[in-house]
Amino acid sequence: MTSIIYSPKDIFEQEFKTSMRGFDKKEVDEFLDNVIKDYENYIAQIEALKAENERLRKEGNQSRQSFNEDRHSSVQPTRVTQTATNFDILKRISRLEKEVFGKQITE
């Protein structure tokens, strides 16, 4: 990010030389007043965003910490594996055959 060259105070205090065919001083002052307001708004927005960014970082770190603590402290469920016997497999195949070929077998 590039650094800001002029602060609102710098803009306010800037003096220009006058010449015979120069700009309307009142018009230039009004324009610079608006530029100063913009700079002040930008600075306020940047500070607010920095504060929000810092808050979100802290929340993210806290969430990550609690997630890791929960993950490590929770009891891992044990997996129950059931072994199918040959008889169970044959029963399943028989049921599938009846569903798929049942109408054909009975006809």
Side-chain angles (χ1 to χ4, degrees), residues 66-84:
S66 74
F67 174 76
N68 287 335
E69 289 170 1
D70 289 346
R71 196 175 79 190
H72 291 299
S73 67
S74 66
V75 176
Q76 296 294 328
T78 57
R79 290 187 178 177
V80 177
T81 56
Q82 295 179 345
T83 57

Side-chain angles (χ1 to χ4, degrees), residues 43-99:
I43 290 169
Q45 287 177 5
I46 289 170
E47 292 304 317
L49 290 171
K50 283 180 180 178
E52 182 181 6
N53 197 3
E54 184 61 30
R55 179 184 61 81
L56 291 172
R57 274 196 191 117
K58 286 179 182 178
E59 285 179 12
N61 287 338
Q62 289 173 352
S63 295
R64 231 178 280 125
Q65 274 182 332
S66 74
F67 174 76
N68 287 335
E69 289 170 1
D70 289 346
R71 196 175 79 190
H72 291 299
S73 67
S74 66
V75 176
Q76 296 294 328
T78 57
R79 290 187 178 177
V80 177
T81 56
Q82 295 179 345
T83 57
T85 62
N86 287 343
F87 181 73
D88 293 331
I89 294 171
L90 289 173
K91 280 173 70 178
R92 288 181 193 164
I93 292 173
S94 174
R95 275 188 243 138
L96 282 172
E97 285 177 341
K98 285 179 185 175
E99 288 293 322

Side-chain angles (χ1 to χ4, degrees), residues 6-7 11 13 23 41-43 47 56 59 70-71 81 100 104:
Y6 298 112
S7 71
I11 296 168
E13 293 176 349
F23 295 106
N41 286 335
Y42 290 140
I43 290 169
E47 292 304 317
L56 291 172
E59 285 179 12
D70 289 346
R71 196 175 79 190
T81 56
V100 174
Q104 294 174 358

